[in-house]
Structures are given as C-alpha cells and as structure tokens.
Amino acid sequence: MASPRTITIVALSVALGLFFVFMGTIKLTPRLSRDAYNEMVVLHINPFQWKSPLPSVSHTMSLAAWFQKRAYKSYVRALPMLKKMGVSSILLRKSIGALEVACGIVMTLVPGRPKDVANFLLLLLVLAVLFFHQLVGDPLKRYAHALVFGILLTCRLLIARQPEELPPEKRMLSVNGDEQPLIHEAAPEKGKMKVS
C-alpha cells in the first residue's frame, strides 16, 4: 500500500499539473474558453476615461474596435528592461503560457526528478507573476489564485524533498548475523543525560 506521503505528492502533482496545463492553454489559444482568453488578452477601458485619437469618433462606438490594451502590455511597460530586450506583450504571454503547459505536462505525466524541476520552475514563474501584479498595482482579486497555487507548489516541493521515513523493522542494522539498532538510535546524544 502506498504511504500517505506518496498519495499526497501524486494528488498534488496531478491537480497542479492539470491546472497549469489548462491555464497555459488559455493563454495560448481561445479554444478552451474564449471569455477567459479575452480577459487575459484584452482589458476593457472605462468609456468615461477614454479619449478618442480621432476627433470624429464618437464615445458611444465600440471602444474595443478602436483601442485594445493588452493585459501583458502593462507588465512590459512597467519593466523597461523587457522592452529593451525586445520582449513584446504577446511574446511574454505566449512564453508564460508555453512554460505553464510544458511544466504542467511534466508534473502530470513524468515520474521522478523532472517533476521536482517542473515544480521549481512553476514556483519561480508564480513568483514572477506575483511580482508583475504588484508592480502594476493590480488588486488582490486579480492575483489571489497565483498566491494559492504558489503555496500549493511550495507544499508539494517541501513534501517531495523530505526523506522517506523507514519503517521500524528496517531501522535495524545486521552485523555478523546479529541485528543491532542503528547507532544514532542506540546511543543517546552527546551532552545529554538519559533520565529514566
């Protein structure tokens, strides 16, 4: 029977992997959810604050047809270093989405050490996304999911990196055919008195 630690790691890996595959796919294509894709790509503007670039354009016309502000454009504007490196808002969104899909697939399907690497990369990505949200001054409701999934990724990584606890029967050391307890369990620690 699998240990509770193994069940927890597998459950977190599959759930987090599927979540990041879904979210990365939404960033890449509108096929799964057109509304979620549009929310990631286009931020709607308050019509009372919008000024037409053309004097003949009415404020009652569809503003999305004249002006679309990309959600990731504010991140690129907030970090001029990205713009100097030639990273556009579309490239930033697609690279984040592709990294989420790739790491999500690894966390869902690939066994062993690659899961931990994918977990670490996703944790770094979540931290970068949280930094971007704070940098542009987004409200908490825009990045609360990133906080929650960052905590889950951290928990999964901590649980996966803990050493496996040996059952009591495997804690015995066989020397010349005699079973003896391991040294660190047999002798008390130095500097401490054994009180009965």
Side-chain angles (χ1 to χ4, degrees):
M1 182 174 161
S3 69
R5 176 182 174 270
T6 305
I7 293 170
T8 304
I9 291 171
V10 170
L12 278 173
S13 297
V14 170
L16 288 169
L18 291 175
F19 170 77
F20 281 105
V21 166
F22 178 71
M23 292 305 291
T25 305
I26 286 176
K27 288 180 178 109
L28 296 174
T29 179
R31 289 186 183 150
L32 287 180
S33 172
R34 186 168 298 281
D35 292 336
Y37 178 79
N38 288 337
E39 185 179 328
M40 297 231 183
V41 174
V42 178
L43 289 176
H44 297 289
I45 302 163
N46 184 349
F48 299 109
Q49 295 176 349
W50 183 74
K51 293 183 181 175
S52 171
L54 303 173
S56 64
V57 176
S58 168
H59 287 287
T60 58
M61 291 182 69
S62 172
L63 299 177
W66 285 97
F67 184 75
Q68 291 184 347
K69 179 180 178 186
R70 303 219 175 255
Y72 287 85
K73 193 172 254 182
S74 59
Y75 303 148
V76 173
R77 253 190 269 130
L79 283 175
M81 178 183 65
L82 290 176
K83 198 168 194 172
K84 288 179 185 175
M85 292 172 28
V87 177
S88 67
S89 60
I90 296 170
L91 179 63
L92 181 65
R93 177 178 48 86
K94 287 188 176 186
S95 59
I96 288 174
L99 185 64
E100 285 179 350
V101 168
C103 290
I105 289 171
V106 169
M107 284 193 66
T108 305
L109 301 175
V110 179
R113 179 78 65 190
K115 277 189 185 194
D116 294 341
V117 173
N119 191 149
F120 184 71
L121 288 174
L122 284 172
L123 187 58
L124 288 178
L125 182 67
V126 165
L127 290 174
V129 166
L130 289 172
F131 173 73
F132 282 145
H133 282 293
Q134 283 295 312
L135 194 63
V136 298
D138 282 341
L140 179 63
K141 68 179 184 178
R142 295 266 308 158
Y143 61 90
H145 70 281
L147 281 173
V148 170
F149 283 99
I151 291 168
L152 287 174
L153 284 168
T154 304
C155 290
R156 190 229 164 262
L157 194 61
L158 289 174
I159 292 169
R161 300 309 307 152
Q162 284 182 345
E164 188 77 35
E165 189 173 313
L166 295 175
E169 61 270 3
K170 290 191 177 181
R171 292 183 188 166
M172 303 297 278
L173 181 64
S174 179
V175 179
N176 296 332
D178 293 335
E179 296 274 326
Q180 298 177 358
L182 293 175
I183 294 173
H184 71 276
E185 291 179 0
E189 294 182 29
K190 289 184 179 179
K192 292 188 177 180
M193 291 181 58
K194 188 174 182 180
V195 179
S196 302

